[in-house]
Amino acid sequence: MIFILMMSIVIGTKKALFLTTLFFVFLTIDNLRKLKTLLIITFSGIIGTIVFSEVLKKYFVFFYKIYEENGFLNSLLSYRNKLLTENLYPYVSENFNIKDVLFGWPLFKNYRSEMEFFDLFLFFGIIGVISYFLFFKKILIGKSKQTNFMIFALLIATIFSGNLFISVNVMVMMYLATLYMNPAKNFKSDY
């Protein structure tokens, strides 16, 4: 637990800290009836926060400065909201046609907002977004609550980052992690 907290602080991104916090909340809720596990989770969180409090203070000073100068939304989204309103929105409104709405806009890289949902729509169009939804639905049917949590957390984290679902590497790793976390019942290992 402490190792996970340490690594998310070393990575130093809001997404890593957000996902780690969400992970600890999930573990706490999932283990409310298991006192020993709950105490370990709580103890790990407290020790990690105490040990790394100076690092956290230095990390959040940067975002607090953005907050004071440009507001909460700019601080939270690292100016991605400006990319959305200044790049993506004008491009979509000026080049609006049914083909692009269905299949995506051709100059995706030049106008993306780095907020994954909007970029996904810009890149793939409505048909691509529906395909992704169906893909995730198929992956999650009958899966463990840990897998559902992982996918849900990643969907929330896409607000803070770009290239998460468009990256083939990320999608393959997520699919393999889902398979690993939910092995087939009739699968027999030779090991």
Side-chain angles (χ1 to χ4, degrees):
M1 301 286 184
I2 293 174
F3 179 75
I4 293 170
L5 184 63
M6 286 178 7
M7 289 299 105
S8 68
I9 291 171
V10 168
I11 291 170
T13 63
K14 285 181 289 187
K15 182 174 51 177
L17 291 172
F18 172 76
L19 288 173
T20 301
T21 303
L22 202 58
F23 177 66
F24 276 105
V25 168
F26 171 77
L27 287 177
T28 302
I29 291 170
D30 193 43
N31 291 293
L32 281 176
R33 296 183 185 189
K34 301 173 190 168
L35 183 60
K36 182 179 177 182
T37 306
L38 186 59
L39 289 173
I40 291 170
I41 293 167
T42 304
F43 181 72
S44 297
I46 291 170
I47 294 296
T49 303
I50 291 169
V51 170
F52 293 103
S53 63
E54 289 302 313
V55 174
L56 287 171
K57 285 178 188 174
K58 289 177 184 176
Y59 177 76
F60 285 112
V61 165
F62 174 73
F63 292 107
Y64 187 73
K65 184 178 178 185
I66 294 173
Y67 167 73
E68 284 183 330
E69 293 174 4
N70 299 300
F72 175 73
L73 197 57
N74 284 311
S75 176
L76 180 67
L77 299 176
S78 300
Y79 297 106
R80 286 182 176 92
N81 56 320
K82 286 190 175 194
L83 287 173
L84 182 70
T85 58
E86 294 173 4
N87 287 351
L88 183 109
Y89 180 72
Y91 174 66
V92 169
S93 61
E94 290 170 9
N95 299 294
F96 189 84
N97 65 57
I98 209 70
K99 179 185 79 84
D100 290 340
V101 170
L102 291 175
F103 299 106
W105 280 259
L107 299 175
F108 161 75
K109 283 212 173 239
N110 299 337
Y111 298 98
R112 64 189 190 155
S113 65
E114 294 190 24
M115 293 172 72
E116 193 66 26
F117 176 77
F118 297 106
D119 289 350
L120 193 64
F121 175 70
L122 183 67
F123 188 68
F124 289 120
I126 289 175
I127 291 177
V129 171
I130 291 171
S131 298
Y132 264 86
F133 172 75
L134 294 174
F135 176 73
F136 282 116
K137 184 177 176 183
K138 182 174 177 150
I139 286 178
L140 296 177
I141 291 175
K143 302 301 185 214
S144 68
K145 59 184 169 184
Q146 290 84 4
T147 301
N148 290 331
F149 166 76
M150 179 182 75
I151 301 298
F152 176 72
L154 283 172
L155 289 172
I156 292 174
T158 62
I159 294 169
F160 302 106
S161 65
N163 302 320
L164 190 62
F165 293 128
I166 295 172
S167 168
V168 174
N169 294 335
V170 172
M171 292 304 293
V172 168
M173 291 304 292
M174 186 173 66
Y175 183 71
L176 292 174
T178 303
L179 290 177
Y180 177 76
M181 291 171 68
N182 300 283
K185 292 178 183 172
N186 58 2
F187 178 75
K188 294 183 180 178
S189 175
D190 293 334
Y191 300 104

